[in-house]
Amino acid sequence: MNQTTGVKLSPDLTGANVEDAGEHNRAVVLRCIHRQAPISRAEIARQTGFTKPAIARIVDRLLDEGLIIEARRRHGLRGQPAIELEINPDAFFAIGINIDRDHLTILAVDAVGNVRARVHHEKRYILPGEFMQLTADAISHFQRSRLIDDAHLAGIGLAMPDWLGEIAFLGKPNDYGEWMDFDVRTALENLTQHPVFIENETNAAALAELDYGLGAESRSFFYISLNACPGGGLVLDGAGHRGAMGLSGEIGWLPIVDPRHRGGQKVELLGEIFSLFFLYKFLGEHGIEANVPSDLLTLDARGRKLVSQWLKTMSAHLAVAVKHIGMIVDPDAIILGGRLPIRMIDELLRYVHDHLDMEDTALPSIHRASLGEDACAIGAAAMPMATALMLASADEVQRTRSPLKFMDRLNT
């Protein structure tokens, strides 16, 4: 297929011109439509550098396969109105599962990221046996209710913390170590005939932002999640980056100097002070009970003032993290998300900006994540969807990866 000359092309939207490159060129066009829909054939040609006849052949094939649809005609321009193309929402479906220390969320998601169904359990310390039963029940519900087309199910994605049963955290029960001996991949593969994808939960949330959120504007960013425990995920040049040992983004181990001690003699880890569990603990020490994110939305004036106090304290630590990430990784942006209510994320970001010199051009911009509390589950569904749609974020490692275990082995 011929490409036009003199066109500046995005690296992952660049086609090949050999006879056996048809699948690659098809993927390039599909990625372009996924990222920039609604988009016309002429615009796809400009974005990819393919000639118009080449685009016409590829688009016709994608239409015949049901992967894309002609959405509408664009009026208001000279000449014949352009027909805009979009991904067909019913082309594929995926199930996204997010298990964490304080909840289980299971979603049915279509090909454009719309949540078709949601099952949520706001419950702490779910153990493997209950996790598998609740997951099986949810998938069965989706299938019986015809909320998804099983024939077009791209796969099942799981987003969960690494070392779930191993790392000590506030309130960890004695029996939570069952997760260390549980082979979650094998259990899920025995549950379904569809492919299973597994990723760290914040890496998954970052992929969700990449494919369905701020990734349309930023191709390299660092995602910070404020959940039961903090997490981080790194996206570089439109692909998730987990590092040589799968440790990339583990922001919970970032050392923080305690400003209450003179001379900065006391250093603690960010993960030991910055999480929803520590916010609940802080409120409890002041006589206010809060156990789930929704409790934070019903606080009285005193409770809201205490939350603001905690957020102000944490903002200083988060600003340090932003500076370090900016110097070491140099991403386009830093994104803050998680299960903390949106208005409190916005408040936290205001305080963080107070600690940063926004005139410093070396600092990355910092934003609230565009996806809400279900970002990890959406990211779980995004993994099989990326493979089905041949997106740049697709990662074959997710088909074999299991949650990391036994931290002490990393040092041997």
Side-chain angles (χ1 to χ4, degrees):
M1 294 182 179
N2 294 327
Q3 285 183 313
T4 57
T5 59
V7 178
K8 184 177 181 180
L9 308 176
S10 175
D12 65 331
L13 298 182
T14 303
N17 289 308
V18 293
E19 291 183 0
D20 60 351
E23 284 301 302
H24 173 79
N25 294 339
R26 174 172 170 267
V28 168
V29 173
L30 199 55
R31 292 171 191 172
C32 186
I33 297 172
H34 178 273
R35 186 185 306 171
Q36 302 187 40
I39 186 171
S40 70
R41 291 168 173 81
E43 289 168 333
I44 297 172
R46 287 194 293 271
Q47 289 288 331
T48 62
F50 286 134
T51 62
K52 290 182 180 181
I55 291 297
R57 288 193 295 271
I58 296 173
V59 166
D60 285 347
R61 178 183 173 188
L62 294 175
L63 287 167
D64 290 342
E65 293 173 347
L67 295 181
I68 64 174
I69 56 175
E70 293 180 332
R72 62 182 70 86
R73 287 186 180 270
R74 185 183 306 169
H75 296 277
L77 300 176
R78 293 181 180 179
Q80 184 176 0
I83 299 175
E84 294 182 326
L85 303 168
E86 295 180 350
I87 298 295
N88 180 4
D90 295 327
F92 291 108
F93 297 89
I95 292 174
I97 307 166
N98 173 218
I99 177 70
D100 204 345
R101 299 156 180 95
D102 61 346
H103 75 280
L104 170 63
T105 302
I106 307 169
L107 305 178
V109 178
D110 67 22
V112 295
N114 295 321
V115 176
R116 297 288 186 93
R118 181 179 188 263
V119 174
H120 179 76
H121 300 277
E122 191 70 44
K123 182 179 180 181
R124 292 191 181 186
Y125 316 131
I126 295 174
L127 295 177
E130 185 179 10
F131 162 75
M132 288 304 303
Q133 184 60 59
L134 293 174
T135 297
D137 290 346
I139 294 175
S140 177
H141 166 65
F142 295 160
Q143 294 169 331
R144 292 194 318 271
S145 304
R146 299 187 183 278
L147 296 167
I148 58 174
D149 182 352
D150 199 63
H152 291 88
L153 186 60
I156 295 175
L158 171 64
M160 66 182 295
D162 292 311
W163 308 293
L164 180 60
E166 183 175 0
I167 292 178
F169 59 87
L170 188 65
K172 178 183 176 183
N174 293 332
D175 58 355
Y176 210 56
E178 286 184 22
W179 280 103
M180 294 174 62
D181 300 318
F182 179 60
D183 186 348
V184 67
R185 170 169 290 282
T186 297
L188 286 175
E189 289 176 342
N190 289 336
L191 184 65
T192 177
Q193 61 181 345
H194 300 287
V196 173
F197 299 71
I198 296 179
E199 185 57 274
N200 171 274
E201 89 282 18
T202 312
N203 286 343
L207 293 176
E209 281 291 340
L210 175 65
D211 286 342
Y212 302 113
L214 295 178
E217 303 173 9
S218 176
R219 306 299 291 170
S220 294
F221 58 84
F222 194 98
Y223 188 106
I224 299 174
S225 64
L226 180 51
N227 293 321
C229 295
L234 179 60
V235 170
L236 295 175
D237 297 327
H241 180 78
R242 65 173 57 86
M245 299 184 69
L247 300 176
S248 176
E250 289 292 349
I251 196 172
W253 277 273
L254 184 70
I256 297 294
V257 175
D258 190 337
R260 296 170 297 180
H261 289 73
R262 293 182 178 179
Q265 297 300 313
K266 183 178 180 181
V267 175
E268 50 195 345
L269 302 180
L270 184 64
E272 295 178 349
I273 59 174
F274 181 66
S275 75
L276 282 177
F277 280 180
F278 281 103
L279 173 56
Y280 301 149
K281 178 176 181 290
F282 175 78
L283 292 173
E285 291 170 347
H286 291 81
I288 296 177
E289 183 177 357
N291 298 296
V292 297
S294 59
D295 289 342
L296 301 174
L297 297 174
T298 60
L299 297 175
D300 59 16
R302 177 172 173 267
R304 293 194 298 272
K305 184 176 180 180
L306 285 168
V307 170
S308 295
Q309 179 183 335
W310 187 83
L311 293 175
K312 287 180 180 178
T313 300
M314 293 301 109
S315 69
H317 304 315
L318 194 56
V320 172
V322 168
K323 293 176 182 177
H324 289 172
I325 294 167
M327 288 186 290
I328 296 172
V329 181
D330 192 25
D332 298 334
I334 291 178
I335 299 173
L336 180 63
R339 301 188 72 220
L340 184 71
I342 287 175
R343 72 187 190 198
M344 294 176 183
I345 291 179
D346 288 339
E347 183 179 357
L348 176 59
L349 288 177
R350 290 200 305 271
Y351 300 147
V352 170
H353 281 111
D354 290 340
H355 294 282
L356 300 174
D357 179 7
M358 301 315 296
E359 300 299 322
D360 185 352
T361 57
L363 280 177
S365 58
I366 180 168
H367 311 273
R368 186 229 302 161
S370 66
L371 303 176
E373 63 174 329
D374 287 343
C376 294
I378 294 173
M383 293 186 284
M385 197 64 70
T387 295
L389 294 176
M390 299 177 289
L391 304 182
S393 59
D395 187 348
E396 188 62 29
V397 172
Q398 295 159 351
R399 291 288 307 274
T400 57
R401 186 187 193 276
S402 290
L404 300 181
K405 298 180 180 180
F406 311 119
M407 289 190 63
D408 56 336
R409 294 184 182 179
L410 299 175
N411 300 318
T412 60

PDB file of all heavy atoms in Angstrom, residues 244-275:
ATOM      1  N   ALA A 244      11.916  -3.926  34.496  1.00  0.00           N
ATOM      2  CA  ALA A 244      12.551  -5.225  34.299  1.00  0.00           C
ATOM      3  C   ALA A 244      12.008  -6.292  35.236  1.00  0.00           C
ATOM      4  O   ALA A 244      11.914  -7.466  34.880  1.00  0.00           O
ATOM      5  CB  ALA A 244      14.066  -5.091  34.481  1.00  0.00           C
ATOM      6  N   MET A 245      11.642  -5.898  36.459  1.00  0.00           N
ATOM      7  CA  MET A 245      11.154  -6.864  37.445  1.00  0.00           C
ATOM      8  C   MET A 245       9.699  -6.613  37.822  1.00  0.00           C
ATOM      9  O   MET A 245       9.213  -7.137  38.822  1.00  0.00           O
ATOM     10  CB  MET A 245      12.040  -6.833  38.691  1.00  0.00           C
ATOM     11  CG  MET A 245      13.486  -7.202  38.419  1.00  0.00           C
ATOM     12  SD  MET A 245      14.479  -7.268  39.923  1.00  0.00           S
ATOM     13  CE  MET A 245      13.791  -8.705  40.725  1.00  0.00           C
ATOM     14  N   GLY A 246       9.021  -5.791  37.052  1.00  0.00           N
ATOM     15  CA  GLY A 246       7.627  -5.513  37.335  1.00  0.00           C
ATOM     16  C   GLY A 246       7.404  -4.520  38.453  1.00  0.00           C
ATOM     17  O   GLY A 246       6.311  -4.430  39.007  1.00  0.00           O
ATOM     18  N   LEU A 247       8.436  -3.742  38.803  1.00  0.00           N
ATOM     19  CA  LEU A 247       8.358  -2.850  39.953  1.00  0.00           C
ATOM     20  C   LEU A 247       8.124  -1.388  39.572  1.00  0.00           C
ATOM     21  O   LEU A 247       8.014  -0.532  40.460  1.00  0.00           O
ATOM     22  CB  LEU A 247       9.650  -2.943  40.778  1.00  0.00           C
ATOM     23  CG  LEU A 247       9.975  -4.331  41.334  1.00  0.00           C
ATOM     24  CD1 LEU A 247      11.319  -4.308  42.045  1.00  0.00           C
ATOM     25  CD2 LEU A 247       8.892  -4.792  42.283  1.00  0.00           C
ATOM     26  N   SER A 248       8.060  -1.086  38.292  1.00  0.00           N
ATOM     27  CA  SER A 248       7.906   0.298  37.885  1.00  0.00           C
ATOM     28  C   SER A 248       6.616   0.887  38.441  1.00  0.00           C
ATOM     29  O   SER A 248       5.559   0.258  38.407  1.00  0.00           O
ATOM     30  CB  SER A 248       7.888   0.391  36.354  1.00  0.00           C
ATOM     31  OG  SER A 248       7.650   1.704  35.926  1.00  0.00           O
ATOM     32  N   GLY A 249       6.714   2.103  38.983  1.00  0.00           N
ATOM     33  CA  GLY A 249       5.536   2.799  39.489  1.00  0.00           C
ATOM     34  C   GLY A 249       5.217   2.547  40.941  1.00  0.00           C
ATOM     35  O   GLY A 249       4.245   3.112  41.453  1.00  0.00           O
ATOM     36  N   GLU A 250       5.979   1.714  41.637  1.00  0.00           N
ATOM     37  CA  GLU A 250       5.664   1.400  43.028  1.00  0.00           C
ATOM     38  C   GLU A 250       5.976   2.590  43.930  1.00  0.00           C
ATOM     39  O   GLU A 250       6.951   2.618  44.681  1.00  0.00           O
ATOM     40  CB  GLU A 250       6.426   0.152  43.485  1.00  0.00           C
ATOM     41  CG  GLU A 250       5.917  -1.129  42.864  1.00  0.00           C
ATOM     42  CD  GLU A 250       4.515  -1.502  43.346  1.00  0.00           C
ATOM     43  OE1 GLU A 250       4.022  -0.878  44.310  1.00  0.00           O
ATOM     44  OE2 GLU A 250       3.910  -2.401  42.755  1.00  0.00           O
ATOM     45  N   ILE A 251       5.099   3.573  43.889  1.00  0.00           N
ATOM     46  CA  ILE A 251       5.326   4.845  44.580  1.00  0.00           C
ATOM     47  C   ILE A 251       5.199   4.718  46.092  1.00  0.00           C
ATOM     48  O   ILE A 251       5.663   5.576  46.835  1.00  0.00           O
ATOM     49  CB  ILE A 251       4.349   5.905  44.036  1.00  0.00           C
ATOM     50  CG1 ILE A 251       4.805   7.308  44.421  1.00  0.00           C
ATOM     51  CG2 ILE A 251       2.920   5.620  44.488  1.00  0.00           C
ATOM     52  CD1 ILE A 251       4.001   8.398  43.760  1.00  0.00           C
ATOM     53  N   GLY A 252       4.591   3.639  46.560  1.00  0.00           N
ATOM     54  CA  GLY A 252       4.435   3.460  48.003  1.00  0.00           C
ATOM     55  C   GLY A 252       5.748   3.350  48.740  1.00  0.00           C
ATOM     56  O   GLY A 252       5.805   3.579  49.951  1.00  0.00           O
ATOM     57  N   TRP A 253       6.832   3.000  48.023  1.00  0.00           N
ATOM     58  CA  TRP A 253       8.149   2.881  48.664  1.00  0.00           C
ATOM     59  C   TRP A 253       8.967   4.175  48.561  1.00  0.00           C
ATOM     60  O   TRP A 253      10.136   4.184  48.918  1.00  0.00           O
ATOM     61  CB  TRP A 253       8.927   1.719  48.054  1.00  0.00           C
ATOM     62  CG  TRP A 253       8.553   0.408  48.670  1.00  0.00           C
ATOM     63  CD1 TRP A 253       9.086  -0.165  49.780  1.00  0.00           C
ATOM     64  CD2 TRP A 253       7.539  -0.484  48.220  1.00  0.00           C
ATOM     65  NE1 TRP A 253       8.485  -1.353  50.046  1.00  0.00           N
ATOM     66  CE2 TRP A 253       7.528  -1.586  49.106  1.00  0.00           C
ATOM     67  CE3 TRP A 253       6.639  -0.467  47.154  1.00  0.00           C
ATOM     68  CZ2 TRP A 253       6.640  -2.649  48.963  1.00  0.00           C
ATOM     69  CZ3 TRP A 253       5.758  -1.530  47.013  1.00  0.00           C
ATOM     70  CH2 TRP A 253       5.769  -2.601  47.905  1.00  0.00           C
ATOM     71  N   LEU A 254       8.349   5.233  48.082  1.00  0.00           N
ATOM     72  CA  LEU A 254       9.064   6.503  48.004  1.00  0.00           C
ATOM     73  C   LEU A 254       9.342   7.038  49.411  1.00  0.00           C
ATOM     74  O   LEU A 254       8.419   7.207  50.209  1.00  0.00           O
ATOM     75  CB  LEU A 254       8.235   7.525  47.229  1.00  0.00           C
ATOM     76  CG  LEU A 254       8.898   8.886  46.987  1.00  0.00           C
ATOM     77  CD1 LEU A 254      10.039   8.755  45.993  1.00  0.00           C
ATOM     78  CD2 LEU A 254       7.875   9.898  46.468  1.00  0.00           C
ATOM     79  N   PRO A 255      10.618   7.297  49.766  1.00  0.00           N
ATOM     80  CA  PRO A 255      10.930   7.810  51.108  1.00  0.00           C
ATOM     81  C   PRO A 255      10.506   9.259  51.267  1.00  0.00           C
ATOM     82  O   PRO A 255      10.722  10.085  50.384  1.00  0.00           O
ATOM     83  CB  PRO A 255      12.451   7.653  51.208  1.00  0.00           C
ATOM     84  CG  PRO A 255      12.925   7.671  49.787  1.00  0.00           C
ATOM     85  CD  PRO A 255      11.837   7.046  48.964  1.00  0.00           C
ATOM     86  N   ILE A 256       9.884   9.559  52.382  1.00  0.00           N
ATOM     87  CA  ILE A 256       9.385  10.897  52.694  1.00  0.00           C
ATOM     88  C   ILE A 256       9.971  11.349  54.022  1.00  0.00           C
ATOM     89  O   ILE A 256       9.946  10.614  55.019  1.00  0.00           O
ATOM     90  CB  ILE A 256       7.842  10.907  52.780  1.00  0.00           C
ATOM     91  CG1 ILE A 256       7.234  10.540  51.427  1.00  0.00           C
ATOM     92  CG2 ILE A 256       7.323  12.257  53.244  1.00  0.00           C
ATOM     93  CD1 ILE A 256       7.490  11.543  50.331  1.00  0.00           C
ATOM     94  N   VAL A 257      10.497  12.559  54.058  1.00  0.00           N
ATOM     95  CA  VAL A 257      11.030  13.127  55.296  1.00  0.00           C
ATOM     96  C   VAL A 257       9.878  13.691  56.116  1.00  0.00           C
ATOM     97  O   VAL A 257       9.041  14.444  55.600  1.00  0.00           O
ATOM     98  CB  VAL A 257      12.059  14.231  54.999  1.00  0.00           C
ATOM     99  CG1 VAL A 257      12.510  14.899  56.295  1.00  0.00           C
ATOM    100  CG2 VAL A 257      13.259  13.651  54.264  1.00  0.00           C
ATOM    101  N   ASP A 258       9.810  13.320  57.376  1.00  0.00           N
ATOM    102  CA  ASP A 258       8.768  13.829  58.271  1.00  0.00           C
ATOM    103  C   ASP A 258       9.137  15.252  58.696  1.00  0.00           C
ATOM    104  O   ASP A 258      10.120  15.449  59.417  1.00  0.00           O
ATOM    105  CB  ASP A 258       8.655  12.922  59.503  1.00  0.00           C
ATOM    106  CG  ASP A 258       7.435  13.254  60.356  1.00  0.00           C
ATOM    107  OD1 ASP A 258       6.959  14.406  60.255  1.00  0.00           O
ATOM    108  OD2 ASP A 258       6.973  12.386  61.098  1.00  0.00           O
ATOM    109  N   PRO A 259       8.381  16.278  58.281  1.00  0.00           N
ATOM    110  CA  PRO A 259       8.737  17.664  58.590  1.00  0.00           C
ATOM    111  C   PRO A 259       8.581  18.015  60.061  1.00  0.00           C
ATOM    112  O   PRO A 259       9.053  19.054  60.510  1.00  0.00           O
ATOM    113  CB  PRO A 259       7.752  18.467  57.721  1.00  0.00           C
ATOM    114  CG  PRO A 259       6.570  17.577  57.558  1.00  0.00           C
ATOM    115  CD  PRO A 259       7.132  16.188  57.498  1.00  0.00           C
ATOM    116  N   ARG A 260       7.933  17.130  60.826  1.00  0.00           N
ATOM    117  CA  ARG A 260       7.745  17.425  62.249  1.00  0.00           C
ATOM    118  C   ARG A 260       9.021  17.196  63.052  1.00  0.00           C
ATOM    119  O   ARG A 260       9.110  17.615  64.207  1.00  0.00           O
ATOM    120  CB  ARG A 260       6.619  16.551  62.817  1.00  0.00           C
ATOM    121  CG  ARG A 260       5.249  16.836  62.186  1.00  0.00           C
ATOM    122  CD  ARG A 260       4.241  15.781  62.604  1.00  0.00           C
ATOM    123  NE  ARG A 260       4.632  14.458  62.128  1.00  0.00           N
ATOM    124  CZ  ARG A 260       3.916  13.356  62.361  1.00  0.00           C
ATOM    125  NH1 ARG A 260       2.800  13.428  63.055  1.00  0.00           N
ATOM    126  NH2 ARG A 260       4.334  12.192  61.892  1.00  0.00           N
ATOM    127  N   HIS A 261       9.997  16.545  62.456  1.00  0.00           N
ATOM    128  CA  HIS A 261      11.246  16.276  63.156  1.00  0.00           C
ATOM    129  C   HIS A 261      12.332  17.212  62.639  1.00  0.00           C
ATOM    130  O   HIS A 261      12.564  17.307  61.435  1.00  0.00           O
ATOM    131  CB  HIS A 261      11.669  14.812  62.956  1.00  0.00           C
ATOM    132  CG  HIS A 261      10.788  13.850  63.689  1.00  0.00           C
ATOM    133  ND1 HIS A 261       9.501  13.567  63.263  1.00  0.00           N
ATOM    134  CD2 HIS A 261      10.994  13.122  64.811  1.00  0.00           C
ATOM    135  CE1 HIS A 261       8.966  12.677  64.099  1.00  0.00           C
ATOM    136  NE2 HIS A 261       9.843  12.396  65.038  1.00  0.00           N
ATOM    137  N   ARG A 262      12.975  17.891  63.543  1.00  0.00           N
ATOM    138  CA  ARG A 262      14.017  18.849  63.180  1.00  0.00           C
ATOM    139  C   ARG A 262      15.169  18.154  62.461  1.00  0.00           C
ATOM    140  O   ARG A 262      15.582  17.072  62.825  1.00  0.00           O
ATOM    141  CB  ARG A 262      14.544  19.549  64.434  1.00  0.00           C
ATOM    142  CG  ARG A 262      13.507  20.458  65.096  1.00  0.00           C
ATOM    143  CD  ARG A 262      14.126  21.160  66.298  1.00  0.00           C
ATOM    144  NE  ARG A 262      13.161  22.073  66.927  1.00  0.00           N
ATOM    145  CZ  ARG A 262      13.437  22.806  68.006  1.00  0.00           C
ATOM    146  NH1 ARG A 262      14.639  22.727  68.565  1.00  0.00           N
ATOM    147  NH2 ARG A 262      12.503  23.586  68.500  1.00  0.00           N
ATOM    148  N   GLY A 263      15.654  18.847  61.445  1.00  0.00           N
ATOM    149  CA  GLY A 263      16.788  18.324  60.708  1.00  0.00           C
ATOM    150  C   GLY A 263      16.436  17.201  59.757  1.00  0.00           C
ATOM    151  O   GLY A 263      17.309  16.624  59.108  1.00  0.00           O
ATOM    152  N   GLY A 264      15.129  16.862  59.672  1.00  0.00           N
ATOM    153  CA  GLY A 264      14.715  15.808  58.738  1.00  0.00           C
ATOM    154  C   GLY A 264      15.326  14.466  59.050  1.00  0.00           C
ATOM    155  O   GLY A 264      15.680  13.713  58.154  1.00  0.00           O
ATOM    156  N   GLN A 265      15.447  14.129  60.341  1.00  0.00           N
ATOM    157  CA  GLN A 265      16.107  12.887  60.725  1.00  0.00           C
ATOM    158  C   GLN A 265      15.229  11.660  60.536  1.00  0.00           C
ATOM    159  O   GLN A 265      15.722  10.561  60.380  1.00  0.00           O
ATOM    160  CB  GLN A 265      16.552  12.977  62.194  1.00  0.00           C
ATOM    161  CG  GLN A 265      17.590  14.069  62.458  1.00  0.00           C
ATOM    162  CD  GLN A 265      18.855  13.845  61.647  1.00  0.00           C
ATOM    163  OE1 GLN A 265      19.395  12.744  61.603  1.00  0.00           O
ATOM    164  NE2 GLN A 265      19.336  14.882  60.986  1.00  0.00           N
ATOM    165  N   LYS A 266      13.902  11.867  60.556  1.00  0.00           N
ATOM    166  CA  LYS A 266      13.006  10.728  60.428  1.00  0.00           C
ATOM    167  C   LYS A 266      12.481  10.623  59.001  1.00  0.00           C
ATOM    168  O   LYS A 266      11.951  11.582  58.460  1.00  0.00           O
ATOM    169  CB  LYS A 266      11.830  10.857  61.399  1.00  0.00           C
ATOM    170  CG  LYS A 266      10.894   9.649  61.368  1.00  0.00           C
ATOM    171  CD  LYS A 266       9.773   9.776  62.379  1.00  0.00           C
ATOM    172  CE  LYS A 266       8.851   8.546  62.311  1.00  0.00           C
ATOM    173  NZ  LYS A 266       7.737   8.663  63.278  1.00  0.00           N
ATOM    174  N   VAL A 267      12.666   9.458  58.411  1.00  0.00           N
ATOM    175  CA  VAL A 267      12.201   9.209  57.052  1.00  0.00           C
ATOM    176  C   VAL A 267      11.222   8.034  57.096  1.00  0.00           C
ATOM    177  O   VAL A 267      11.479   7.023  57.747  1.00  0.00           O
ATOM    178  CB  VAL A 267      13.371   8.894  56.104  1.00  0.00           C
ATOM    179  CG1 VAL A 267      12.859   8.522  54.723  1.00  0.00           C
ATOM    180  CG2 VAL A 267      14.312  10.088  56.018  1.00  0.00           C
ATOM    181  N   GLU A 268      10.083   8.194  56.433  1.00  0.00           N
ATOM    182  CA  GLU A 268       9.115   7.111  56.350  1.00  0.00           C
ATOM    183  C   GLU A 268       8.697   6.923  54.900  1.00  0.00           C
ATOM    184  O   GLU A 268       9.010   7.753  54.039  1.00  0.00           O
ATOM    185  CB  GLU A 268       7.904   7.389  57.241  1.00  0.00           C
ATOM    186  CG  GLU A 268       7.295   8.756  57.064  1.00  0.00           C
ATOM    187  CD  GLU A 268       6.345   9.101  58.202  1.00  0.00           C
ATOM    188  OE1 GLU A 268       5.955   8.191  58.958  1.00  0.00           O
ATOM    189  OE2 GLU A 268       5.999  10.284  58.338  1.00  0.00           O
ATOM    190  N   LEU A 269       8.012   5.836  54.631  1.00  0.00           N
ATOM    191  CA  LEU A 269       7.582   5.538  53.269  1.00  0.00           C
ATOM    192  C   LEU A 269       6.229   6.175  52.994  1.00  0.00           C
ATOM    193  O   LEU A 269       5.360   6.211  53.867  1.00  0.00           O
ATOM    194  CB  LEU A 269       7.509   4.034  53.053  1.00  0.00           C
ATOM    195  CG  LEU A 269       8.805   3.255  53.297  1.00  0.00           C
ATOM    196  CD1 LEU A 269       8.589   1.767  53.050  1.00  0.00           C
ATOM    197  CD2 LEU A 269       9.924   3.783  52.406  1.00  0.00           C
ATOM    198  N   LEU A 270       6.037   6.642  51.761  1.00  0.00           N
ATOM    199  CA  LEU A 270       4.784   7.286  51.400  1.00  0.00           C
ATOM    200  C   LEU A 270       3.606   6.352  51.638  1.00  0.00           C
ATOM    201  O   LEU A 270       2.549   6.778  52.100  1.00  0.00           O
ATOM    202  CB  LEU A 270       4.829   7.725  49.931  1.00  0.00           C
ATOM    203  CG  LEU A 270       3.609   8.498  49.426  1.00  0.00           C
ATOM    204  CD1 LEU A 270       3.462   9.825  50.156  1.00  0.00           C
ATOM    205  CD2 LEU A 270       3.713   8.735  47.915  1.00  0.00           C
ATOM    206  N   GLY A 271       3.787   5.073  51.348  1.00  0.00           N
ATOM    207  CA  GLY A 271       2.705   4.118  51.530  1.00  0.00           C
ATOM    208  C   GLY A 271       2.309   3.886  52.963  1.00  0.00           C
ATOM    209  O   GLY A 271       1.257   3.293  53.226  1.00  0.00           O
ATOM    210  N   GLU A 272       3.136   4.347  53.898  1.00  0.00           N
ATOM    211  CA  GLU A 272       2.833   4.177  55.320  1.00  0.00           C
ATOM    212  C   GLU A 272       2.108   5.370  55.912  1.00  0.00           C
ATOM    213  O   GLU A 272       1.814   5.394  57.110  1.00  0.00           O
ATOM    214  CB  GLU A 272       4.127   3.898  56.088  1.00  0.00           C
ATOM    215  CG  GLU A 272       4.766   2.569  55.693  1.00  0.00           C
ATOM    216  CD  GLU A 272       6.085   2.316  56.423  1.00  0.00           C
ATOM    217  OE1 GLU A 272       6.583   3.256  57.069  1.00  0.00           O
ATOM    218  OE2 GLU A 272       6.598   1.191  56.348  1.00  0.00           O
ATOM    219  N   ILE A 273       1.806   6.369  55.084  1.00  0.00           N
ATOM    220  CA  ILE A 273       1.068   7.532  55.581  1.00  0.00           C
ATOM    221  C   ILE A 273      -0.028   7.996  54.618  1.00  0.00           C
ATOM    222  O   ILE A 273      -0.955   8.696  55.028  1.00  0.00           O
ATOM    223  CB  ILE A 273       2.021   8.730  55.845  1.00  0.00           C
ATOM    224  CG1 ILE A 273       2.764   9.114  54.559  1.00  0.00           C
ATOM    225  CG2 ILE A 273       2.991   8.425  56.969  1.00  0.00           C
ATOM    226  CD1 ILE A 273       3.608  10.377  54.713  1.00  0.00           C
ATOM    227  N   PHE A 274       0.033   7.586  53.359  1.00  0.00           N
ATOM    228  CA  PHE A 274      -0.816   8.150  52.311  1.00  0.00           C
ATOM    229  C   PHE A 274      -1.706   7.067  51.714  1.00  0.00           C
ATOM    230  O   PHE A 274      -1.300   6.318  50.831  1.00  0.00           O
ATOM    231  CB  PHE A 274       0.068   8.771  51.221  1.00  0.00           C
ATOM    232  CG  PHE A 274      -0.680   9.420  50.090  1.00  0.00           C
ATOM    233  CD1 PHE A 274      -1.457  10.545  50.290  1.00  0.00           C
ATOM    234  CD2 PHE A 274      -0.584   8.905  48.799  1.00  0.00           C
ATOM    235  CE1 PHE A 274      -2.134  11.150  49.244  1.00  0.00           C
ATOM    236  CE2 PHE A 274      -1.250   9.508  47.734  1.00  0.00           C
ATOM    237  CZ  PHE A 274      -2.032  10.627  47.962  1.00  0.00           C
ATOM    238  N   SER A 275      -2.927   6.930  52.233  1.00  0.00           N
ATOM    239  CA  SER A 275      -3.892   5.973  51.705  1.00  0.00           C
ATOM    240  C   SER A 275      -5.245   6.276  52.312  1.00  0.00           C
ATOM    241  O   SER A 275      -5.367   7.008  53.303  1.00  0.00           O
ATOM    242  CB  SER A 275      -3.482   4.528  52.027  1.00  0.00           C
ATOM    243  OG  SER A 275      -3.716   4.233  53.385  1.00  0.00           O
TER     244      SER A 275
END
